[in-house]
């Protein structure tokens, strides 16, 4: 096969090799950033591909080549925003690992824009495609958060509830969101200790 820089001869005519145009990653980021901004400003129902094209400076056809529909676009923008990785479980016991994990999770949730979360929740109620995409992302993130610390705890002899991973994924974020959004209080060290000692450990251990 000829290299892209050489030509190919056919009947004495030199024709340049055809190469696909490299994908413009800066354009991708502009589209995703514009999507998140507009989602926070106008909500999911009012978000349109046209508005994203106008805000990002990309052609609407460019956006449709990358994303099949609005739900896929929003899901890609959410995945682009949430690239944080849970901390490695390095403490010597389950309690220590949970304290580190819950502190990290509280910071992640506190940094989210409430308007963005509200737009996503409302969109999930009205658009089954968005709900499907978001649940896929959430299941992946929940597994990344819960699997390793619980496996490590079991290896160290902890007897955990069969539903330990599900309980951790359900309860910890819900209590943190209530603390930040409903109560309007910070997730400080005493609160993190309360969440781990009084709620999570009894649940995960099944007593």
């Amino acid at each position: 096969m000829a290299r892209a820089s050489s030509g190919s001869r056919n009947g004495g005519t030199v024709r340049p090799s055809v190469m696909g145009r490299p994908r413009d990653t800066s354009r991708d980021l502009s589209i995703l950033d514009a999507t998140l901004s507009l989602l926070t400003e106008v909500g999911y129902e009012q978000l349109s591909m046209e508005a994203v094209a106008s805000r990002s400076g990309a052609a609407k056809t460019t956006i449709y080549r990358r994303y099949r529909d609005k739900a896929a676009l929003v899901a890609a923008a959410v995945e682009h925003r949430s690239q944080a990785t849970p901390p490695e479980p390095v403490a010597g016991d389950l309690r220590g690992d949970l304290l580190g994990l819950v502190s990290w999770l509280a910071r992640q949730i506190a940094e989210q824009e409430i308007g963005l979360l509200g737009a996503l929740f409302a969109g999930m109620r009205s658009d089954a495609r968005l709900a499907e995409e978001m649940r896929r992302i959430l299941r992946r993130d929940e597994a990344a958060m819960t699997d390793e610390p619980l496996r490590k705890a079991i290896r160290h002899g902890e007897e955990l509830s069969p539903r330990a991973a599900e309980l951790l994924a359900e309860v910890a974020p819900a209590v943190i969101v209530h603390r930040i959004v409903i109560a309007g209080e910070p997730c400080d060290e005493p609160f993190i200790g309360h969440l781990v000692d009084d709620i999570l450990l009894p649940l995960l251990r099944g007593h």
Side-chain angles (χ1 to χ4, degrees), residues 170-193:
E170 288 179 349
V171 173
V175 175
I176 291 169
V177 168
H178 182 276
R179 173 77 171 183
I180 295 171
V181 179
I182 306 302
E185 298 290 340
C187 291
D188 52 15
E189 188 173 338
F191 170 78
I192 298 296

Side-chain angles (χ1 to χ4, degrees), residues 93-157:
D93 60 352
L94 178 59
R95 180 180 185 272
D97 287 335
L98 286 177
L99 287 171
L101 178 62
V102 170
S103 296
W104 170 84
L105 181 61
R107 288 194 300 272
Q108 295 298 309
I109 292 175
E111 291 171 1
Q112 299 297 316
E113 296 178 36
I114 300 303
L116 176 60
L117 293 177
L120 288 171
F121 294 152
M124 290 173 68
R125 289 173 61 90
S126 63
D127 187 332
R129 277 272 302 122
L130 178 65
E132 177 186 359
E133 291 284 354
M134 291 303 302
R135 287 174 184 135
R136 172 185 60 81
I137 295 169
L138 290 170
R139 284 192 295 269
R140 180 204 63 193
D141 290 350
E142 287 172 358
M145 181 180 74
T146 62
D147 285 359
E148 187 54 33
L150 296 186
R151 277 200 294 261
K152 177 187 170 189
I154 292 170
R155 289 197 301 268
H156 288 183

Side-chain angles (χ1 to χ4, degrees), residues 3-206:
R3 292 190 300 273
S5 58
S6 64
S8 63
R9 295 185 180 271
N10 185 1
T13 302
V14 177
R15 296 179 180 177
S17 298
V18 177
M19 289 185 63
R21 179 179 297 177
R23 184 154 170 165
D24 186 349
T25 56
S26 64
R27 178 60 54 85
D28 286 324
L29 295 178
S30 297
I31 291 169
L32 298 179
D33 288 341
T35 300
L36 290 172
S37 297
L38 286 165
L39 188 61
T40 304
E41 293 170 18
V42 305
Y44 184 77
E45 290 295 329
Q46 300 302 316
L47 180 70
S48 68
M49 297 297 214
E50 291 82 0
V52 173
S54 176
R55 176 71 63 90
S56 65
K60 190 167 69 168
T61 53
T62 299
I63 298 174
Y64 273 113
R65 278 199 299 268
R66 287 161 165 77
Y67 310 102
R68 57 182 280 196
D69 54 22
K70 184 167 72 171
L73 171 60
V74 169
V78 170
E79 287 193 282
H80 160 63
R81 179 185 177 93
S82 57
Q83 292 295 322
T85 302
E88 290 289 330
V90 295
D93 60 352
L94 178 59
R95 180 180 185 272
D97 287 335
L98 286 177
L99 287 171
L101 178 62
V102 170
S103 296
W104 170 84
L105 181 61
R107 288 194 300 272
Q108 295 298 309
I109 292 175
E111 291 171 1
Q112 299 297 316
E113 296 178 36
I114 300 303
L116 176 60
L117 293 177
L120 288 171
F121 294 152
M124 290 173 68
R125 289 173 61 90
S126 63
D127 187 332
R129 277 272 302 122
L130 178 65
E132 177 186 359
E133 291 284 354
M134 291 303 302
R135 287 174 184 135
R136 172 185 60 81
I137 295 169
L138 290 170
R139 284 192 295 269
R140 180 204 63 193
D141 290 350
E142 287 172 358
M145 181 180 74
T146 62
D147 285 359
E148 187 54 33
L150 296 186
R151 277 200 294 261
K152 177 187 170 189
I154 292 170
R155 289 197 301 268
H156 288 183
E158 287 275 2
E159 295 185 7
L160 301 180
S161 163
R163 298 181 58 237
E166 179 184 352
L167 290 168
L168 177 56
E170 288 179 349
V171 173
V175 175
I176 291 169
V177 168
H178 182 276
R179 173 77 171 183
I180 295 171
V181 179
I182 306 302
E185 298 290 340
C187 291
D188 52 15
E189 188 173 338
F191 170 78
I192 298 296
H194 159 65
L195 176 53
V196 169
D197 291 332
D198 301 329
I199 300 174
L200 292 179
L201 284 174
L203 279 175
L204 301 184
R205 288 169 173 161

